Each structure stands twice: as structure tokens, then as C-alpha cells.
Amino acid sequence: MGVVTDMPQIPDLLIRAGRVHGRDGQVDVHIRDGLVTDVEPSPAKAAPAHRVLEAAGGLVSRSFTEPHYHPDKAYSRRLAPPGLYDGFARARTIKAGFTVEDVADRATRALRLASVNGVTALRANVDVDSVAGLTGLHGMLAARERVAHLMDVQIVAFPQEGLGRDPGARELLEEALRLGAGLVGGWPNVEDGADAQRAHVREVFDIAERFAVDVDIHVDCMIDASETMMEFVAAETLRRGYQGRVLASHCCGLEMYDEADAARVVAAVAEAGLRIVIVPINLADGGPRGLSRPRELMAAGVVVAAGSDNMNDGWYALGTLDPLDRAQTAYHGAGFHDDASVDVAWDMVGSQASVAIGGRDGDVLIGESADLVVFDVPDRATALASMPGRRTTLRRGRVVSSRDTTGSPALEVVGA
Ligand SMILES: [Zn+2]
């Protein structure tokens, strides 16, 4: 080894003959010290790099972001008691049996799958309540260390059982924030009546302010016009001066409002700078739930991303943790059918998902971290259509994961 220090003028890695969205022809992507240092027409004029990844005309994209997932629950479906069909009760029963090591193992397995699918940043909602205690949090902190070479993981302390309904959650949330959770979560839906739901939202913000952390809150999870917390969260965000620091997920009630109410709420969400994460599996998950109004929100300038939420757990038996799975479902379910639709769906798991959790905008950019995915197909539309397909995930310029469902050999770095 020692190639990089001996020959500093040579890039760490050259991705040869790839395609970058929005650029004509094939390009070579140079990577040094974990950063993209150049993108130039292929073949590169510069001296060949010692290590080469042959993209062979495949798409080179920035890696994906998973903005809403519950890894503490991953692969726990087998623990569900037979005959219990209420998702909330089922998930509660399952988590009562969690141990720290069990959560750490299952979460690690899920995050490795996400890496294989091209994810290098993930926001994890972890149950912190009287049933789970801090077990899920400790398991998740351990899992985060195990996958630190694969991705950045943000942890949201999530009171799944409520705050009014579960008064013991308050102290646990605060302890979770002291122990390493970076955000406070919420789920007003679980409370009994609108007043209790508003009190839940206010309390989440109180905790956020006390700990100087951002908010990531589940709102309006059912497709029902009586779900009105999205507008209240927007108002509370403005009142607290928390613009740009709040992510709201699901937001299904908006879909059922009449046009005047919907326009008013969308304007309030835009003014408050709320970031929205829709959950496309809502369409499949026993309903009645929907996809919010992503097009109207985007038209108002709101950041809208798509998250996985659940996989093989008490809430949802299936799931793939594949960003392109979410993008494809959003593409169909949200009615994106114009020329830009593939890009809109792609960005909901790429640039917009990143911005939603505090990351950067844009695709492959010089000077940015070389967190990339190399496909064996030339463009986004083909990658979406041929999902899951063959992928190679790079994290800070290193190949960390790959998947191959084509039967052909996985891509390998050739050289030192
Ligand atoms: Zn969720």
C-alpha cells in the first residue's frame, strides 16, 4: 500500500467511464482523500489512477439518504403474537421483549442492508417510552458504532406511546438526549383528542428548546380530514423561532382537506420551513393512508422527501430499505407524470432527503464527500425501472457495499 502518500498527485480512486446525471457522454470521477476532486470527460487527460473502478457506462450518482426509519424494530416481526392484528398493540407487545444486544444486532443488519442499497446517511426514530425504556436507544447507539464506516446515523428519541398517555416518557426522553440522541421526536396522533394532541406538540418543542435540539415529529398519520396537527406544528415552529429545524413525517391528513384548507396549510408549512417526509408504503400498509400532497408542497418551495418508516416489524411485514423502492412507489402514488417526474422521485430519496435531515443539496459535486452509488445502467429512469439491480456503494471514496442481482460479477476496485 502507501500509494496515496507516495504519489499524492494520483487520485485515490478513479471511477472510469461513468455517467453523471445532467452531463453529456461518459465521465471519469476522480476521488482523493475521500472527496470528489474532479469530473472530466472520459478518458481522463490526467495520468491514470493507481486504483480504478470501471463504471462501464453506468450511472454514478450521489448516495441515498434514508430520512425516516425505525431500526430498533427491524426484523422483529417474527416476535409478533399470533392473532394480534392491531399494529400499535402488536408493536408494543414485541418491543416489551427487546434487549440491548438484540436491538443492536437487528438494527445493524438493517443498516447494512441500507448500505447495500446505496444509503450513506440515515435518520433513526427509536422508541423511548415506558415500554421500551432506554433499551432501544442503547441498542441503537451500539449499532451506530458498528456501521460508522458505512453511514452517518442520526438518532431521534421517539415517544411512541405518547406523552399525555405515557407520562413516564418525559424523563426517559430527556435521559435519551443526554445519552446521545440528537433530536426529539413526537407522535401527537396517539393522544386522546385535539387538546391532548396540541399539548403533546407543545411538550415536544419544550424539550427541544431545553436541549437545543431539532424536532422530528410524526403528524397526521391517517388519511382523514380531522387530522390537523400539521398546521399546528407549523404554527408552533414559527412561534418558537424553529424555522428550518423541524421535520414532519407522514402528513396524510392534508390529502383529504378541501382545496382552500389545503392551500392554507401548505402556505403555513412553507412559511415555517418544515421539511416533509412522506412514507410511500402508507399506500400498501393496510390503509386508509395516503401520500400527502407532495406536488403542492414542492410547488410552494417545501423540501419533500420519502422515507421507509418500517420493515418486517410490528407495523409492517414487508419492506426493503431500498430508496429506489420508495422512489418508485412515490412516483406512482403521488401522480408524478411529467418530464421531470423521474428526477423528482429520485431526489426525494437523494438530494431532498439529504436536505430534509440537514445535509446538502445537489448530485455528484467536486469538493464534496465521495459518497456515491455506481449502477450498471446508464440513467435514473432505467435504474428505477430495473430495481433493485446492481449497485456499488462508496462511502468517503471507499467501496463499502455492493449488491448484484444480475448474476454478473460485482464491481471490483483494480489496483493497489
Ligand atoms: Zn415512523
Side-chain angles (χ1 to χ4, degrees):
M1 300 298 287
V3 172
V4 174
T5 47
D6 293 342
M7 310 173 72
Q9 77 279 16
I10 294 179
D12 272 352
L13 179 68
L14 176 70
I15 302 175
R16 188 150 58 197
R19 293 179 191 274
V20 170
H21 181 71
R23 295 183 65 126
D24 290 332
Q26 297 187 357
V27 296
D28 289 350
V29 178
H30 297 264
I31 297 165
R32 187 164 51 218
D33 296 333
L35 303 178
V36 173
T37 53
D38 205 357
V39 181
E40 60 175 337
S42 185
K45 292 187 293 291
H50 217 78
R51 300 187 307 145
V52 175
L53 184 64
E54 297 286 357
L59 176 68
V60 181
S61 171
R62 74 172 288 172
S63 56
F64 299 117
T65 292
E66 170 56 73
H68 185 102
Y69 179 54
H70 296 263
D72 52 327
K73 299 171 175 140
Y75 303 112
S76 65
R77 183 78 176 192
R78 65 189 166 74
L79 304 171
L84 186 54
Y85 299 119
D86 174 70
F88 192 20
R90 189 167 49 213
R92 182 189 300 119
T93 305
I94 291 172
K95 77 180 165 189
F98 285 176
T99 67
V100 171
E101 196 52 33
D102 155 59
V103 171
D105 287 348
R106 289 183 292 94
T108 299
R109 184 178 158 205
L111 300 183
R112 285 191 174 134
L113 174 63
S115 173
V116 161
N117 288 330
V119 171
T120 60
L122 181 144
R123 183 173 283 184
N125 270 264
V126 177
D127 284 19
V128 174
D129 51 51
S130 298
V131 181
L134 294 166
T135 301
L137 179 82
H138 285 295
M140 192 60 226
L141 288 168
R144 179 164 72 176
E145 279 194 29
R146 293 182 196 173
V147 302
H149 60 300
L150 301 178
M151 65 183 68
D152 291 321
V153 176
Q154 303 173 358
I155 298 178
V156 182
F158 174 51
Q160 171 91 79
E161 306 296 322
L163 293 166
R165 277 176 48 141
D166 181 15
R170 292 179 181 84
E171 224 170 282
L172 290 164
L173 285 178
E174 296 187 347
E175 185 60 15
L177 289 164
R178 282 189 283 268
L179 287 168
L183 301 102
V184 62
W187 188 35
N189 278 75
V190 72
E191 310 290 1
D192 196 15
D195 285 347
Q197 293 188 4
R198 284 190 284 270
H200 179 116
V201 171
R202 281 192 289 265
E203 186 152 9
V204 168
F205 275 91
D206 286 346
I207 295 170
E209 286 182 335
R210 235 172 10 251
F211 284 81
V213 294
D214 291 0
V215 171
D216 187 316
I217 189 163
H218 293 60
V219 296
D220 302 345
C221 294
M222 303 307 285
I223 181 166
D224 186 323
S226 68
E227 298 262 78
T228 58
M229 281 305 108
M230 191 183 193
E231 186 173 20
F232 185 72
V233 168
E236 201 64 13
T237 300
L238 281 172
R239 193 170 80 76
R240 312 261 187 163
Y242 250 59
Q243 294 95 318
R245 301 187 61 183
V246 179
L247 185 155
S249 59
H250 295 273
C251 307
C252 302
L254 178 64
E255 200 169 333
M256 298 303 286
Y257 301 165
D258 65 33
E259 294 307 313
D261 285 348
R264 186 189 70 248
V265 174
V266 167
V269 166
E271 187 185 1
L274 292 191
R275 286 93 193 268
I276 304 301
V277 172
I278 66 166
V279 177
I281 63 163
N282 281 171
L283 286 174
D285 186 23
R289 300 207 280 178
L291 289 185
S292 193
R293 294 193 186 222
R295 286 173 302 171
E296 289 94 324
L297 288 161
M298 288 175 192
V302 177
V303 172
V304 183
S308 289
D309 206 16
N310 297 95
M311 178 182 67
N312 190 242
D313 61 19
W315 290 96
Y316 186 53
L318 310 181
T320 59
L321 269 184
D322 185 345
L324 293 190
D325 192 0
R326 307 194 308 268
Q328 197 185 77
T329 309
Y331 177 89
H332 294 133
F336 295 120
H337 297 304
D338 59 28
D339 290 345
S341 292
V342 166
D343 290 336
V344 169
W346 190 280
D347 289 343
M348 288 174 79
V349 296
S351 61
Q352 296 306 284
S354 174
V355 172
I357 67 164
R360 71 166 178 91
D361 203 351
D363 191 17
V364 178
L365 294 179
I366 293 168
E368 294 290 350
S369 183
D371 294 349
L372 305 168
V373 185
V374 184
F375 293 83
D376 66 339
V377 294
D379 56 53
R380 292 174 168 186
T382 313
L384 263 176
S386 59
M387 181 189 74
R390 183 176 167 197
R391 302 177 205 173
T392 302
T393 307
L394 286 82
R395 158 87 163 146
R396 293 180 183 146
R398 296 180 199 285
V399 172
V400 290
S401 304
S402 64
R403 68 173 304 151
D404 182 9
T405 55
T406 65
S408 53
L411 296 179
E412 282 179 26
V413 175
V414 178

